[in-house]
Amino acid sequence: SEDMVKQYQEIFGKTKHVCVYNIIKDKDSIKMQEEEINDNWILNNKNPFIIAAGRLAIWKGFDDLINAYSLIKNKIPHKLIILGDGEDREKLSTLIEEKNLTDDIYMPGYVINPLKYFKVSKIFVLSSLSEGMPNVMIEAMMCGCTPVATNCKTGPAEIIKNNEYGYLSPVKNHTKLAENILRAIENPIDKHKLDEAVNNF
């Protein structure tokens, strides 16, 4: 991200670092979106989906996402999917049980092709405390998901650009995150706008 280059320059002074974005949108990624889902939880569930993805670790803020979802669960028909695995899986599972959300939140673990899950979802949430450039959010936007993200260093603000292409929330504020998930559901970003944002990648 551009902000990562600025961080290097703050530490080392003037350097030759330049920002070159990762390539996200290519023929392979477009093909992966069309792969058939054979996940019974998805196939048997007629609700719309909110989705998140990443290592189940503290810096990804999935506890904030679960707490945010618990605030709005009774206001929306959406179920929540969290893709990924990691050291915080048991802790997050316990939190889900404590919030009585075991029927509403699905954690299938690591999946080889997350894009086919993004393709059937409406909202992507990035609840991270820090990032480099959140490729997973760009992939979700490419698949048509409206992004809701924490305004963490670095990357999300650079992609979403003053809420033009999604909704930014303060870090570690699950109340605001919940409010922005509701905003995204009520006012999704048009697919043409999402494509405009993703074309940089």
Side-chain angles (χ1 to χ4, degrees):
S1 66
E2 294 283 1
D3 281 344
M4 288 186 75
V5 174
K6 291 175 185 175
Q7 285 182 338
Y8 277 110
Q9 292 172 344
E10 286 172 6
I11 296 168
F12 298 110
K14 188 174 181 180
T15 72
K16 295 181 179 180
H17 288 97
V18 294
C19 174
V20 180
Y21 285 144
N22 291 330
I23 296 172
I24 306 298
K25 187 176 183 179
D26 58 16
K27 289 180 180 178
D28 288 340
S29 65
I30 292 169
K31 186 178 178 181
M32 287 170 70
Q33 296 177 51
E34 307 306 325
E35 187 177 307
E36 189 175 343
I37 286 188
N38 55 10
D39 186 315
N40 287 331
W41 194 92
I42 303 290
L43 296 175
N44 295 332
N45 210 314
K46 303 306 179 187
N47 298 72
F49 301 121
I50 298 165
I51 195 163
R55 183 167 183 81
L56 303 186
I58 190 168
W59 65 86
K60 291 295 185 180
F62 289 128
D63 54 339
D64 292 322
L65 173 56
I66 292 166
N67 284 322
Y69 179 76
S70 73
L71 294 180
I72 59 175
K73 183 253 173 184
N74 292 328
K75 300 178 182 178
I76 58 174
H78 299 62
K79 302 291 187 181
L80 173 61
I81 304 166
I82 302 175
L83 304 178
D85 222 332
E87 58 269 25
D88 276 6
R89 184 178 185 87
E90 188 175 337
K91 175 184 166 186
L92 295 172
S93 296
T94 299
L95 179 60
I96 290 168
E97 290 174 10
E98 289 173 354
K99 297 288 183 180
N100 295 315
L101 296 171
T102 52
D103 293 333
D104 304 291
I105 300 179
Y106 179 46
M107 295 200 301
Y110 173 78
V111 298
I112 294 173
N113 178 8
L115 274 67
K116 63 182 180 181
Y117 286 83
F118 297 157
K119 189 71 175 179
V120 298
S121 302
K122 300 292 186 184
I123 310 292
F124 178 86
V125 182
L126 184 92
S127 51
S128 299
L129 282 61
S130 65
E131 284 287 342
M133 175 56 87
N135 295 334
V136 69
M137 185 174 83
I138 301 164
E139 289 174 337
M141 292 169 71
M142 177 180 65
C143 296
C145 294
T146 294
V148 175
T150 52
N151 191 13
C152 65
K153 294 184 178 179
T154 61
E158 199 169 312
I159 300 164
I160 289 177
K161 297 188 186 302
N162 297 317
N163 293 341
E164 183 178 357
Y165 300 113
Y167 300 94
L168 284 173
S169 306
V171 176
K172 293 298 294 178
N173 187 329
H174 69 269
T175 303
K176 289 291 185 184
L177 191 64
E179 290 174 4
N180 274 336
I181 293 170
L182 286 178
R183 285 177 67 195
I185 291 170
E186 292 166 2
N187 300 286
I189 304 298
D190 184 82
K191 182 67 168 67
H192 295 296
K193 289 290 290 182
L194 294 172
D195 288 341
E196 186 179 290
V198 171
N199 281 339
N200 290 322
F201 304 89

